[in-house]
Structure formats: C-alpha cells, structure tokens
C-alpha cells in the first residue's frame, strides 16, 4: 500500500484495535519466519505481474506459522452470464491487465508447490470476487 493509504487506514481504525501498520514491499516483508497466525492479502495480487505475485505469495507463507491461515481476496472470473462480464473484461484488459490472470488461473497455481493446502474457496457477486482460505503446511 502507499503511505497515504496507510494513513487513511490508521484514521479509520478504532484506537484500541490490536493492529500495527508497516510499509513494506509484499515480496520482502522484513518479518521473521513463522511470525504470524494469519496473513491477509486484500486486492493486491491483481496489481502484480506473475513473478511478483509468486514472490508475494511465497513471502506470505514464509511469515506464516505452520497451520496458520492465509486469506486472499481478489478478482475472479465472473459467471458466463454475468451482466458485467464483457464490460469488466474490457476495462480490466485496458487498465488492470494482470487482473485477467485471476480470471484464467487459480491463485493456487502461483503458490510454492507443496507448501499449502486450500481450505475453502468462496465466490461473490456472480463470481466477480473470490475469497480463499489457505493453510500453511508444516
Ligand atoms: C488495489 S490497491 C488495494 C490496497 C488495499 N489492500 C485496500 O484494499 O485498500 C493495491 C495496492 O497494492 C500496492 N502494491 C502493489 N505492489 C505492491 C508491492 N509489491 N508491495 C506492497 N504493496 C504493493 C499498490 O501501491 C496499491 O496501493
């Protein structure tokens, strides 16, 4: 995220929220291995070319303890009959070209082999968005 986005987030968080904000590259978070129980990647992967996306996911798993959960929320291929499918496809092709990778392939494709298992996949708004719950294997 940009520093301005972190500032906005800080403003919105309740004062007592048990949250620390850090500005970092998603490929090199700077935390020790296995230091978190949960990692959330929220609408980031669609911004990144494949090699960066792979590095982001590998880094998320690195900082997650074995048995910990990675949650990914991002675009997904809408149902064939979705009324926005054609329009959104054209907009993304022009403005967010990497997002179409998320229409074509499963996020699991870009995770390091054997490092995680998919616990649950949910799709929202006719498939427009997805939420994945992924467990880091030991
Ligand atoms: C679509 S925005 C979503 C931001 C935030 N997750 C939210 O929901 O408000 C994607 C953000 O990812 C940031 N971003 C892109 N590549 C990044 C990277 N390698 N490391 C950290 N942030 C990155 C962009 O600067 C942008 O702020």
């Amino acid at each position: 995220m940009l520093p301005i986005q972190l500032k906005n987030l800080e403003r919105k968080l309740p004062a007592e929220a048990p949250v620390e904000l850090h500005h970092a590259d998603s490929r090199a978070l700077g935390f020790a291995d296995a230091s978190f129980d949960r990692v959330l990647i929220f609408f980031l992967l669609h911004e990144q070319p494949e090699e960066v996306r792979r590095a982001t996911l590998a880094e998320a798993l690195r900082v997650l303890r074995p048995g910990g959960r990675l949650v990914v929320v991002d675009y997904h291929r809408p149902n064939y009959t979705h009324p926005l499918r054609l329009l959104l496809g054209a907009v993304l092709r022009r403005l967010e070209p990497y997002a179409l990778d998320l229409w074509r392939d499963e996020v699991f494709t870009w995770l390091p082999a054997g490092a995680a298992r998919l616990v649950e996949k949910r799709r929202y708004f006719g498939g427009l968005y997805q939420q994945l719950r992924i467990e880091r294997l030991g």
Side-chain angles (χ1 to χ4, degrees), residues 1-2 5 24-27 42-44 46-48 52 56 96:
M1 287 170 83
L2 294 169
Q5 291 175 307
D25 185 337
S26 61
R27 294 167 293 182
F42 191 81
F43 283 99
L44 172 61
H46 74 269
E47 301 263 337
Q48 301 186 323
V52 178
T56 291
E96 303 262 30

Side-chain angles (χ1 to χ4, degrees), residues 58-73:
E59 182 69 350
L61 290 183
R62 183 188 69 74
V63 300
L64 199 54
R65 69 164 173 77
R69 293 288 165 90
L70 166 63
V71 175
V72 176
V73 180

Side-chain angles (χ1 to χ4, degrees), residues 75-79 85 102-106 123 126-128:
Y75 287 113
H76 184 272
R77 180 182 58 259
N79 297 338
R85 185 183 168 107
L102 290 147
W103 283 33
R104 276 187 290 267
D105 292 313
E106 296 292 333
R123 301 157 79 252
L128 208 55

